[in-house]
Structures are given as C-alpha cells and as structure tokens.
Amino acid sequence: MEFGVNFFPVVDPVKKSASTYYDESLQLVELAEALDYEHVQTVEHYGSPYGGYSPDPTVFLTAAAARTSRIRLVTGAVIASFAHPVQVAARLALLDNLSHGRLDVGFGRGFLPDEFELFGVPMQESRTRFTEVVEACVALWSGQEVRFEGQVHRFGPVTGFPRPYQRPHPPVFVASATSAESCALAGEQGHHLQVVPSVTSREQLVGMIDAYRRARQAAGHQGPGRVQIKYTCYLGEDRDTVLEDARACEHNYVEQMAAAVASWAGARSAQYPGYEKFADKARGYSFDTALADHKVLAGTPDEVSAQVDTIRGWYGPDVCLSLQFNPGHLPYERAERAMELFAQHVAPAFAGDGVAAAAAAA
C-alpha cells in the first residue's frame, strides 16, 4: 500500500483564518515529503466552510510544488463542470511544468446544487460537461491543432500551450462518489480512480472498485490502475485525547456538510440519483458507528494499523490511502504528530504491498 496526505478544509474564519490554514497545511506538505508520503492533494469547493478554503487546487499545489521536489501533487478533484477545458488544460499543464512532472490530475463532476447555481450551470449537464472536459484536456495535452465538437464545448483548431511536462499527458484520475458505472467507465478509458468511503457502504465501495478493475482489464489496459481512497486519520499516543479530537472534528465536518448539502432537500436530478437523501444521512451520522465501520481512522498507532490492515483486506494491497491529518480546526501540533506517528509506526508494516501486488499482476 501507498499513503498520501489529503487537505479538505472544513473550517470557518471564526475557528481558523484562511492564511493560518494555508501556512499550516504547507508546513505539513514539507513534512509529508520529508516522511516519504506518496502525494499531497486537495479539493475544489466554493462559497461555504465546506471546502471553501480550497477554491482552486492548482494554486495550492503550485505553492506545494515550490516547497518540495519529489512528492506527487494531486487534484482531488478539479470540478469539470465549472470551467472551459482550454483553461483547465492550460492551468494544469503549467503546474505540471512547474513541478517537473509531479502532477496527477483528478477530475470530478461536482455535486452541490448551490455551487451549480452559483456558476449558472445546469446540474443536468454535469455528466456531459465532465466527459467533455476530460476528453478535451487529454486531447489538448496530447495533440496538435485540436478541434473539439461537443454538446457544450466547441473550439479549435488550437494547440494547447504550455505543453505538459509529462508525455503524452499527466495521469488522469476520475473521482466517483457512489456510481459503479462511472468507475467502470474510468477503467475502460484507462484512467485511475478516486473514491470516498464515508459516503457509501463498504459493500457498495467494493463493488465500485471491482467494476473499475474488471473494466480496465477487459479493455486491455496495462496494470491494475491506481485507486486512491480518502480517509480522515486521527492518531496519537494518548487514545482519550485522540478520540476527543476526532469527535469534535467529525462533528464539525458533519455540521458543515449538512449545511452544504441542505439544498438537496428541494432538488432532484436524474444525474444524481439518491443525492436528495444526503442531508438526512449527514444528520444521522454517528462517530462511533463510523469508527467501527472503518470510515474514519482514529486511535493509537496499533489501533490505526489494525484498521488499515482490515481496509487492505477489503480493497486489496494495491490501493493508496489519501489521509487527512488536519481536519477542521485541529491544532497544528497534533496534525504534525499524527503524520509522524503514521509514517514511523503504521506505514512500514505495509511497505511491501506495492511490490507484491505488482509482481502478482505481472
């Protein structure tokens, strides 16, 4: 298994200013590279404490690139519905060059009705926009004099500049919340996968990852593909302190998420079946249940190691866990210590997984 660091700012200015959050997160980026984490990644959201401190992942990752030299930089994810593909491709190619080829590009559709309304984008177009932006970006990165004729986007002929550092283009990840169909399509197209266990059941997530792997293999793509699974991780020597922090931060997360998804109560979209139930799910959240179901990692190093071992058994040894260590308003020192403890006492037990999985797939 591989392990990276994920930044999802669910915090408001009353609890932590934007500049303080960015300063602390970039310090953790430097620490992540020093501790040999595989990647750092961040999200894209607007207009609320639910991720709103990260409106542009490319800007944050550019700052991260300037402070590091080896660690990979991941968008988790760029929201394809809200920008023109020529802009998206150019900005990401710029970051790929600034980082000397360390960029992995995750694309997502977006799922918050308020954000679609903010940009004046119909939610029923989200899948079309997503598909077109991914296809157009790959074409712009890979080709010359590209002409694109989609349902939403039409342009060209144009040659994308700058050209990406990685050839033919940076690795592409598809973010999927609940759809096995989307996962299978990502596998068929030879892309990689980003998933979040907190919004789905274990059985459903197993099915999503299996659908991805089967489709990728059936399409003849080399290797099993890369699967990133995102978790929040609370870790420390004192179990009581860790669980107290976890309860407080998870309560903050659920409170802010419930506010962000409240607009689903009056919204319906065939593009997002079942999403109208998100608000009820958020209000019914139980930290104890989430911890028991391994939807959140929390405890001492031995306890978290046992959780990771269980997760490896569910999803396979070749997945990468993308871990958030500084959720909400957690004090910086505790996030820093959690990263150190994970790297020193948890990760080493799983260090051979990637080699063994590659050998088995060969």
Side-chain angles (χ1 to χ4, degrees):
M1 297 179 84
E2 291 185 310
F3 304 98
V5 178
N6 181 34
F7 297 96
F8 192 132
V10 183
V11 62
D12 61 59
V14 173
K15 295 177 179 176
K16 187 173 288 189
S17 71
S19 60
T20 297
Y21 176 81
Y22 301 141
D23 288 345
E24 292 179 354
S25 295
L26 288 170
Q27 285 180 263
L28 295 178
V29 165
E30 294 184 56
L31 179 63
E33 177 163 279
L35 294 172
D36 291 326
Y37 283 90
E38 191 267 343
H39 70 262
V40 293
Q41 74 168 280
T42 193
V43 297
E44 179 177 348
H45 279 295
Y46 299 90
S48 82
Y50 184 74
Y53 273 2
S54 184
D56 188 342
T58 60
V59 173
F60 178 84
L61 293 175
T62 296
R67 292 170 175 248
T68 57
S69 61
R70 304 185 315 277
I71 198 165
R72 293 202 66 80
L73 312 166
V74 186
T75 62
V78 169
I79 304 303
S81 299
F82 301 151
H84 193 282
V86 173
Q87 293 175 307
V88 175
R91 291 168 181 167
L92 291 166
L94 172 60
L95 175 53
D96 196 41
N97 279 280
L98 289 172
S99 66
H100 288 194
R102 292 187 281 137
L103 177 65
D104 292 338
V105 180
F107 290 101
R109 288 167 55 198
F111 75 99
L112 295 176
D114 286 346
E115 291 185 344
F116 280 87
E117 184 177 354
L118 185 65
F119 286 99
V121 173
M123 290 197 77
Q124 60 266 29
E125 293 182 0
S126 68
R127 188 178 296 278
T128 299
R129 287 175 175 268
F130 172 83
T131 300
E132 289 187 5
V133 168
V134 175
E135 289 180 357
C137 283
V138 170
L140 287 163
W141 290 330
S142 309
Q144 303 278 339
E145 293 299 299
V146 173
R147 186 183 297 275
F148 191 85
E149 294 288 339
Q151 295 180 44
V152 177
H153 300 291
R154 300 174 180 86
F155 61 84
V158 61
T159 298
F161 284 99
R163 312 303 288 167
Y165 188 96
Q166 298 173 89
R167 305 301 300 160
H169 57 79
V172 172
F173 285 75
V174 169
S176 180
T178 61
S179 172
E181 180 183 358
S182 296
C183 294
L185 184 59
E188 180 182 321
Q189 294 174 337
H191 300 321
H192 307 289
L193 188 65
Q194 295 175 338
V195 291
V196 183
S198 62
V199 297
T200 187
S201 68
R202 173 171 64 89
E203 293 77 13
Q204 187 175 8
L205 187 56
V206 168
M208 290 163 62
I209 295 173
D210 285 347
Y212 166 76
R213 288 169 171 159
R214 288 196 305 270
R216 183 181 175 92
Q217 183 178 21
H221 296 292
Q222 185 176 6
R226 296 160 63 192
V227 177
Q228 291 178 352
I229 310 178
K230 302 180 186 182
Y231 288 90
T232 304
C233 182
Y234 305 91
L235 184 60
E237 292 97 340
D238 184 85
R239 186 175 190 272
D240 291 340
T241 299
V242 170
L243 295 184
E244 182 180 355
D245 285 342
R247 287 181 189 278
C249 288
E250 291 297 293
H251 175 77
N252 171 71
Y253 176 86
V254 171
E255 184 178 68
Q256 301 296 355
M257 182 182 184
V261 302
S263 53
W264 269 114
R268 297 294 184 274
S269 172
Q271 299 281 309
Y272 298 87
Y275 275 60
E276 66 275 6
K277 300 175 183 177
F278 254 140
D280 290 337
K281 289 181 179 179
R283 285 192 292 268
Y285 176 87
S286 163
F287 171 73
D288 291 326
T289 300
L291 182 61
D293 291 345
H294 300 327
K295 291 179 179 291
V296 60
L297 308 181
T300 64
D302 286 345
E303 289 173 314
V304 171
S305 291
Q307 288 181 296
V308 173
D309 190 45
T310 298
I311 289 167
R312 175 177 59 177
W314 289 344
Y315 307 121
D318 56 341
V319 299
C320 177
L321 303 191
S322 191
L323 306 169
Q324 177 167 217
F325 291 101
N326 68 331
H329 50 282
L330 188 73
Y332 171 81
E333 294 76 15
R334 291 182 185 168
E336 178 184 62
R337 185 57 180 153
M339 283 181 60
E340 292 172 344
L341 288 172
F342 193 97
Q344 295 163 2
H345 299 289
V346 180
F350 306 93
D353 283 353
V355 175

